[in-house]
Amino acid sequence: VVPWEIGKSFEVTGNCNTHGGAHGIQKYAYDIAMPIGTTIFASRSGIVIGVEESFSDFNGSVNQLNYVFIQHEDKTIARYYHLATQGALVDIDDEVVKGQAIALSGGSGNPGYAHLHFDLVSDECAEIISMSGNYEIQLRCQTIAIVFSNTRKQDRGLEIGEFYEALPY
């Protein structure tokens, strides 16, 4: 499901394919504009495998951004980036269910504007993620196409410049 509250709408302001995104590796990653402090919800159920929440908003460093990573039963990993300082609502090894509040959006790192960067990667990235707090290294993970079940129909994922409402599921 889309990672925001049912009934709320947010604009997709980018995906890494639009800015070249490491030779297409990040082409299925989404940037969703939202105010700092917006509650982020788990897109799928799983286990929290990564949390960083110590960095300040708009600190200017590409490698100082807050995140939550959740690994799902099929071993894919959802990554939620640019979270608020002390904005994680979960801890490593927590079990979360789809639709559970997991974090607060922010502008940590060097995002240019407040937004959530959301993507899904395969379990092949688990080792890279566990060994590196370096965002540039984490971006080497190939993203996976996502179709969301609780918003209007998408043939090829979410479109840049469009607003999407989270519908009940």
Side-chain angles (χ1 to χ4, degrees), residues 37-66:
T38 302
T39 303
I40 303 299
F41 296 85
S43 183
R44 292 174 60 196
S45 299
I47 304 290
V48 177
I49 63 166
V51 173
E52 174 59 63
E53 61 179 341
S54 66
F55 299 116
S56 61
D57 289 325
F58 304 106
N59 60 51
S61 175
V62 70
N63 286 317
Q64 293 184 356
L65 68 168
N66 301 322

Side-chain angles (χ1 to χ4, degrees), residues 84-156:
T85 307
Q86 301 306 313
L89 305 176
V90 292
D91 294 310
I92 290 178
D93 294 327
D94 282 357
E95 290 187 37
V96 298
V97 296
K98 174 175 67 177
Q100 178 180 331
I102 59 167
L104 302 176
S105 68
S108 59
N110 190 23
Y113 60 98
H115 70 277
L116 171 67
H117 177 101
F118 175 76
D119 65 31
L120 183 68
V121 297
S122 74
D123 64 337
E124 295 170 0
C125 288
E127 186 175 346
I128 292 171
I129 289 169
S130 68
M131 292 175 52
S132 174
N134 184 313
Y135 180 63
E136 291 172 316
I137 291 173
Q138 291 174 9
L139 283 178
R140 295 179 190 165
C141 295
Q142 175 68 56
T143 56
I144 300 169
I146 306 166
V147 175
F148 298 96
S149 63
N150 71 324
T151 193
R152 71 176 188 270
K153 187 176 187 291
Q154 326 104 57
D155 293 325
R156 295 177 293 155

